[in-house]
């Protein structure tokens, strides 16, 4: 009958007078087994309808109410349960109408399964205790906490005979000795110092890692050290690749030399280290650094055929052209993208965060590169068109930033053009300056060559357009924007003006210092005669003076290195020493003329703050705001000299109007910037 008590002689729920609460057998097998053992009934078969009434449980086993704590009021609420419930783990203990020995509050004896579980638990606890004791004994034998304990540990325990052990200066050193042709050589040396730090060296070079662990490592157990010893013992015994040995030694030496060379040479060392690393790898596992990919991409795009020749020569390990094309295809290298607002000056934004605050004060340099018109497909883009029309580009305007306080210099924008007018160039210049200022750069001025379009474009910063030293800054009306002509371009112009003279290569110029208006003569022919005189001499004043410098072609006239062979202090000394001896005409005036522009070049071509100190030349140091700065004094004299030059009556043997104007403009700008 459902909901009736299954206990023998119990009438719970059998009639209306014996209404009681009943409980189902627990689902947990262990507790269910305890119930079956407690109930005095041999033929008991438990089903889902088998019940035991509340008469067989103590009051402590039954919950008849439920309590709830109300946090808002601090009250404890008590509610009567609709149906009583048993507490966890409760078992029937009271059996009325049964013999007394069957009704007891004592817990029934555990069954075989329970006793088996209890026995297993006892064995487990004993095993744990024995294990802890064994670990304690192990720690006493193999573990150590300080250097003395470590020494005792290595005395008690045996180290493989492969290793030679040395105790010196609170260090334990394990040496792997290899004897070749009666010459002992230490391959591996494993050292443990007095603070238990273990380091490993290979043929005198410290290793940075052991497997994946950075060295040195802290050790505290003999077996830990023993594993390391066995690992390197195996390395020595199975070692059969002398190439790895030599490459490791060379690479380590190169890494040590990184701090001994100038920054400009560090790329070379990194390049060599990477080449040595690639030499050890299977070609399918080649992985290239970003610098290598950039270097290779430049070579490949300059000349694909030359790149392939270098790669197949076997002298260098370079990426496959397909790898370069794949990398290039991911870059938006087309000038079309650079003109879009989304990508405009994107590279400048990247480098701004990577340079120091002192490099944020910059000059904007503009240069023009002439190129052969052609169309090509590179990096997933068609290149070769002008940025603003469908014509093929014949030149590229390159915009660069140059810091006024360091050697930082970088290209930030390139614009391919077929033809550009001054107004368009002015608009582009203004747009770039405003964008750079928005990024965070402080654009102090503009530097261009002496091209008429450049001068006219910059003059538009004034209204009406006017060629002057400084303009109102487009980003801040209170700041000046200086304009300079590139000194490299100017020194070439001076040399070219000189050799363009049709009067026998004579340049006439006023006296540099003093009030006298005497005209002096600089002869280019005398330089050629000096070259002829010294051509057969072993020791020369005209060091580096060549026929290309003295008789340049139209293309060679654009080479500033050849121009600087003319404006050389050594050549000045040579004229003064040999001029009178060989009766060279106008040698003194020529030497003075060269000396003027040598000094001007020293001042105008300061690229680093330490150049003057390195060359022991005060004129090559940066211009300061000091009133007594000798460089400023020279520039003032140079400007006054140019003014006297302009008043000369001679129609030949003079600078061109553009060169004269640019020299004065730039010299005055140098003074204005420092003020």
């Amino acid at each position: 009958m459902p909901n009736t008590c299954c206990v023998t002689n119990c009438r719970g729920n059998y009639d209306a007078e014996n209404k009681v609460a009943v409980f189902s057998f627990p689902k947990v097998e262990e507790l269910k087994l305890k119930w079956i053992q407690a109930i005095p009934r041999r033929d008991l078969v438990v089903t889902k309808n088998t019940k035991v009434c509340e008469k067989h449980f103590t009051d402590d086993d039954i919950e008849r109410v439920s309590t709830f704590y109300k946090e808002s009021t601090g009250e404890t609420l008590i509610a009567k349960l609709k149906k009583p419930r048993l507490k966890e783990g409760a078992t029937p203990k009271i059996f009325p109408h049964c013999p007394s020995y069957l009704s007891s509050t004592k817990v029934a004896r555990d069954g075989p399964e329970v006793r088996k579980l209890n026995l297993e638990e006892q064995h487990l606890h004993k095993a744990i205790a024995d294990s802890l004791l064994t670990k304690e004994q192990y720690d006493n034998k193999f573990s150590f906490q300080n250097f003395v304990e470590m020494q005792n540990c290595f005395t008690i325990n045996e180290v493989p005979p492969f290793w030679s052990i040395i105790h010196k200066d609170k260090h334990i050193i394990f040496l792997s000795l290899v004897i070749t042709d009666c010459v002992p050589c230490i391959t591996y040396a494993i050292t443990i110092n007095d603070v238990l730090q273990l380091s490993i060296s290979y043929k005198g070079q410290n290793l940075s890692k052991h497997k994946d662990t950075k060295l040195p490592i802290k050790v505290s157990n003999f077996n830990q050290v023993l594993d390391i010893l066995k690992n390197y013992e195996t390395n020595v015994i199975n070692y059969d690749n002398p190439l790895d040995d030599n490459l490791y030694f060379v690479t380590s030496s190169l890494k040590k030399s990184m701090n001994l060379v100038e920054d400009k040479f560090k790329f070379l060392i990194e390049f060599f280290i990477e080449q040595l690393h690639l030499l050890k790898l299977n070609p399918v596992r080649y992985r290239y650094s970003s610098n290598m990919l950039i270097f290779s991409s430049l070579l490949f795009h300059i000349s694909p055929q030359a790149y392939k020749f270098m790669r197949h020569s076997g002298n260098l390990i370079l990426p496959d052209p397909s790898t370069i094309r794949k990398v290039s295809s991911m870059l938006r290298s087309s000038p079309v993208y650079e003109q879009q607002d989304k990508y405009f000056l994107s590279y400048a934004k990247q480098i701004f965060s990577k340079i120091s605050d002192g490099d944020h004060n910059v000059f904007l340099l503009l240069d023009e590169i002439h190129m052969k018109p052609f169309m090509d497909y590179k990096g997933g883009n068609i290149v070769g068109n002008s940025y603003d029309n469908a014509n093929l580009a014949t030149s590229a305007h390159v915009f660069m930033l140059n810091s006024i306080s360091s050697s930082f210099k970088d290209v930030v924008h390139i614009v391919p053009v077929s033809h550009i007018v001054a107004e368009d160039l002015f608009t582009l210049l203004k747009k770039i300056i405003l964008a750079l200022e928005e990024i965070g750069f402080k654009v102090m001025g503009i530097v261009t060559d002496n091209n008429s379009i450049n001068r006219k474009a910059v003059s538009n910063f004034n209204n009406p357009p006017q060629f002057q030293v400084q303009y109102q800054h487009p980003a801040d009306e209170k700041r000046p924007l200086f304009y300079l002509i590139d000194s490299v371009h100017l020194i070439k112009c001076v040399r070219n003006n000189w050799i363009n003279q049709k009067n026998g290569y004579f340049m006439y110029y006023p006296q540099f210092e003093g009030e006298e208006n005497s005209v002096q003569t600089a002869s280019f022919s005398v330089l050629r005669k000096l070259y002829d005189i010294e051509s057969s001499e072993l020791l020369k004043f005209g060091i580096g003076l060549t026929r290309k410098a003295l008789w340049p072609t139209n293309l060679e006239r654009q080479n500033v290195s050849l121009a600087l062979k003319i404006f050389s202090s050594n050549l000045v000394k040579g004229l003064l020493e040999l001029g009178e001896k060989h009766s060279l005409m106008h040698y003194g005036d020529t030497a003075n003329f060269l000396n003027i522009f040598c000094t001007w070049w020293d001042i105008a071509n300061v690229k680093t703050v330490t150049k003057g100190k390195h060359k022991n030349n005060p004129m090559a140091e940066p211009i300061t705001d000091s009133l007594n700065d000798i460089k400023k004094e020279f520039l003032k004299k140079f400007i006054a000299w140019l003014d006297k030059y302009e008043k000369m009556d001679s129609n030949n043997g003079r600078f061109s109007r553009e060169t004269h104007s640019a020299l004065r403009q730039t010299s005055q700008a140098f003074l204005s910037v420092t003020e």
Side-chain angles (χ1 to χ4, degrees):
M1 184 181 294
N3 295 328
T4 56
C5 183
C6 68
V7 177
T8 305
N9 295 331
C10 182
R11 304 301 297 171
N13 282 352
Y14 275 86
D15 50 47
E17 296 179 359
N18 293 289
K19 290 293 182 179
V20 290
V22 293
F23 307 103
S24 299
F25 275 72
K27 295 181 180 180
V28 179
E29 288 297 327
E30 185 179 349
L31 186 57
K32 180 180 178 181
L33 184 61
K34 289 183 179 181
W35 279 38
I36 294 172
Q37 292 173 347
I39 296 173
R41 180 172 173 176
R42 295 181 180 179
D43 59 346
L44 180 60
V45 177
V46 178
T47 67
K48 64 178 181 179
N49 294 322
T50 306
K51 310 290 182 181
V52 178
C53 72
E54 60 182 323
K55 294 180 179 181
H56 308 291
F57 296 91
T58 63
D59 290 338
D60 293 336
D61 289 336
I62 302 174
E63 292 182 350
R64 300 183 185 276
V65 295
S66 177
T67 59
F68 173 73
Y69 178 74
K70 191 175 182 181
E71 292 185 1
S72 59
T73 61
E75 296 179 289
T76 300
L77 304 179
I78 301 175
K80 185 177 180 180
L81 294 174
K82 186 176 181 181
K83 291 183 179 181
R85 63 190 178 196
L86 293 175
K87 293 181 180 179
E88 186 177 356
T91 58
K93 303 180 182 67
I94 303 172
F95 302 102
H97 310 295
C98 291
S100 60
Y101 65 88
L102 292 177
S103 181
S104 173
T105 57
K106 295 182 179 180
V107 179
R109 181 186 177 191
D110 292 334
E113 292 295 330
V114 176
R115 291 199 301 273
K116 182 179 179 181
L117 291 173
N118 291 338
L119 185 61
E120 289 178 354
E121 187 175 355
Q122 291 175 7
H123 289 165
L124 178 61
H125 285 300
K126 185 176 184 303
I128 293 173
D130 292 342
S131 177
L132 291 173
L133 179 61
T134 303
K135 183 181 183 304
E136 184 179 355
Q137 294 172 347
Y138 173 87
D139 289 341
N140 292 335
K141 184 177 180 181
F142 296 109
S143 298
F144 44 82
Q145 300 298 325
N146 53 55
F147 188 75
V148 175
E149 291 182 6
M150 181 182 67
Q151 286 181 309
N152 295 333
C153 186
F154 281 102
T155 303
I156 297 172
N157 300 291
E158 185 177 353
V159 176
F162 176 84
W163 296 92
S164 301
I165 306 176
I166 297 176
H167 297 262
K168 186 173 183 179
D169 298 334
K170 291 189 176 182
H171 287 74
I172 296 181
I173 307 171
F174 302 89
L175 300 178
S176 166
L177 294 173
V178 176
I179 300 176
T180 305
D181 297 331
C182 297
V183 177
C185 175
I186 298 175
T187 52
Y188 286 102
I190 299 176
T191 306
I192 307 176
N193 62 15
D194 57 344
V195 292
L196 307 184
Q197 286 187 326
L198 182 145
S199 57
I200 305 170
S201 65
Y202 176 70
K203 292 196 173 182
Q205 302 292 333
N206 284 328
L207 302 184
S208 59
K209 285 186 177 181
H210 166 62
K211 296 183 178 179
D212 294 329
T213 306
K214 188 176 180 181
L215 292 173
I217 57 177
K218 186 89 170 181
V219 292
S220 59
N221 188 280
F222 172 80
N223 286 330
Q224 181 186 4
V225 178
L226 190 62
D227 288 341
I228 295 174
L229 293 175
K230 288 181 178 179
N231 177 74
Y232 288 97
E233 179 180 344
T234 305
N235 285 356
V236 174
I237 294 173
N238 297 332
Y239 185 75
D240 59 354
N241 191 355
L243 176 62
D244 284 350
D245 187 354
N246 294 328
L247 289 179
Y248 176 82
F249 188 79
V250 174
T251 302
S252 299
S253 300
L254 286 173
K255 288 180 179 179
K256 285 185 176 181
S257 65
M258 285 286 284
N259 297 326
L260 304 177
V261 299
E262 299 179 28
D263 290 343
K264 62 182 179 181
F265 296 123
K266 288 184 178 180
F267 171 76
L268 294 176
I269 295 179
E270 291 173 353
F271 180 84
F272 290 139
I273 291 174
E274 183 168 0
Q275 289 290 300
L276 293 173
H277 173 70
L278 294 172
L279 194 61
K280 299 186 295 184
L281 301 178
N282 187 302
V284 298
R285 298 185 61 193
Y286 284 166
R287 297 294 183 272
Y288 302 96
S289 66
S290 56
N291 285 336
M292 173 65 80
L293 288 172
I294 293 172
F295 172 74
S296 302
S297 297
L298 290 173
L299 285 180
F300 179 75
H301 286 102
I302 291 172
S303 176
Q305 295 302 323
Y307 180 82
K308 291 177 181 178
F309 172 79
M310 290 177 61
R311 188 171 180 273
H312 292 304
S313 69
N315 295 324
L316 293 174
I317 300 176
L318 299 172
D320 188 90
S322 62
T323 302
I324 296 177
R325 293 190 188 98
K326 185 177 180 180
V327 172
S328 300
S329 65
M330 295 185 292
L331 303 175
R332 297 188 179 276
S333 56
S334 172
V336 176
Y337 289 110
E338 293 191 17
Q339 307 311 313
Q340 298 176 9
D341 292 339
K342 182 178 180 181
Y343 302 108
F344 188 65
L345 297 187
S346 57
Y347 178 67
K349 296 175 184 177
Q350 295 176 20
I351 63 174
F352 178 79
S353 60
K354 298 178 182 179
I355 60 178
S356 62
D357 293 342
D359 291 334
H360 294 167
N361 296 328
V362 296
F363 268 81
L364 179 63
L365 279 60
L366 169 61
D367 199 4
E368 184 179 9
I369 302 174
H370 295 279
M371 57 189 184
K372 181 180 178 181
F374 75 100
M375 187 174 291
D376 199 1
Y377 180 80
K378 291 183 178 180
N381 299 299
I382 296 176
V383 297
N385 289 102
S386 176
Y387 85 101
D388 58 348
N389 56 54
N391 297 330
L392 293 178
T394 58
S395 64
H397 280 67
V398 181
F399 297 85
M400 297 169 282
L401 295 183
N402 193 358
S403 171
I404 64 173
S405 59
S406 73
S407 59
F408 166 71
K409 187 176 183 180
D410 208 343
V411 176
V412 293
H413 195 55
I414 300 177
V415 180
V417 297
S418 58
H419 175 71
I420 191 168
V421 296
E423 289 73 17
D424 292 340
L425 182 57
F426 162 72
T427 302
L428 188 58
L429 275 169
K430 185 176 180 180
K431 179 181 178 182
I432 292 174
I433 291 173
L434 291 174
L436 289 171
E437 290 278 339
E438 185 177 351
I439 291 171
F441 288 102
K442 189 174 182 180
V443 182
M444 308 290 291
I446 303 171
V447 180
T448 73
D449 61 22
N450 203 24
N451 186 288
S452 59
I453 293 179
N454 294 337
R455 295 199 309 271
K456 188 175 180 181
V458 176
S459 67
N460 280 293
F461 281 99
N462 191 69
N463 190 15
Q466 185 176 354
F467 184 62
Q468 55 193 45
V469 172
Q470 65 184 56
Y471 300 88
Q472 190 178 74
H473 203 289
D476 185 355
E477 296 180 355
K478 298 179 180 179
R479 286 167 49 196
L481 181 71
F482 297 99
Y483 178 47
L484 291 80
I485 306 299
D486 184 17
S487 57
V488 172
H489 179 80
L490 286 178
I491 203 71
K492 291 188 293 185
C493 288
V494 172
R495 191 276 314 272
N496 293 339
N497 279 190
W498 196 356
I499 59 179
N500 284 340
Q501 300 302 321
K502 305 299 182 182
N503 57 4
Y505 307 109
F506 294 126
M507 286 288 287
Y508 305 120
Y509 66 95
Q511 186 173 329
F512 187 76
E513 294 186 272
E515 299 297 330
E516 298 181 15
N517 293 323
S518 60
V519 176
Q520 297 179 307
T521 304
S523 171
F524 200 82
S525 298
V526 76
L527 302 181
R528 293 174 176 174
K529 290 180 181 179
L530 179 64
Y531 172 77
D532 291 336
I533 292 170
E534 292 193 319
S535 60
S536 59
E537 299 292 331
L538 183 61
L539 299 177
K540 303 178 181 180
F541 284 100
I543 301 173
L545 195 60
T546 63
R547 293 189 63 83
K548 287 185 177 182
L550 293 168
W551 290 275
T553 63
N554 289 336
L555 183 61
E556 290 166 349
R557 289 187 180 201
Q558 306 307 314
N559 189 332
V560 68
S561 298
L562 295 178
L564 293 177
K565 293 181 186 299
I566 302 298
F567 298 102
S568 165
S569 58
N570 291 322
L571 205 53
V572 173
K573 294 176 183 177
L575 288 171
L576 296 177
E577 288 288 336
L578 302 177
E580 184 176 359
K581 179 180 178 181
H582 294 278
S583 301
L584 299 177
M585 187 180 296
H586 306 299
Y587 74 88
D589 291 354
T590 304
N592 289 336
F593 184 78
L594 291 178
N595 191 54
I596 291 171
F597 281 97
C598 285
T599 306
W600 183 86
W601 174 254
D602 287 339
I603 297 172
N605 191 49
V606 178
K607 295 182 178 179
T608 63
V609 295
T610 58
K611 180 179 178 181
K613 293 181 180 179
H614 289 163
K615 291 184 173 293
N616 196 23
N617 182 359
M619 288 298 185
E621 294 181 3
I623 302 175
T624 66
D625 56 0
S626 172
L627 297 176
N628 299 322
D629 192 326
I630 58 174
K631 298 174 287 297
K632 294 173 71 171
E633 291 297 323
F634 175 86
L635 289 173
K636 291 176 182 178
K637 292 178 181 179
F638 185 79
I639 293 171
W641 177 71
L642 290 174
D643 291 341
K644 288 195 294 183
Y645 198 105
E646 190 176 17
K647 297 176 183 178
M648 288 176 56
D649 294 333
S650 175
N651 293 324
N652 58 30
R654 298 167 58 99
F655 294 126
S656 66
R657 183 179 60 183
E658 293 80 10
T659 300
H660 181 276
S661 173
L663 283 170
R664 195 184 192 289
Q665 160 88 9
T666 299
S667 301
Q668 184 61 55
F670 285 145
L671 293 174
S672 300
V673 169
T674 57
E675 293 172 358

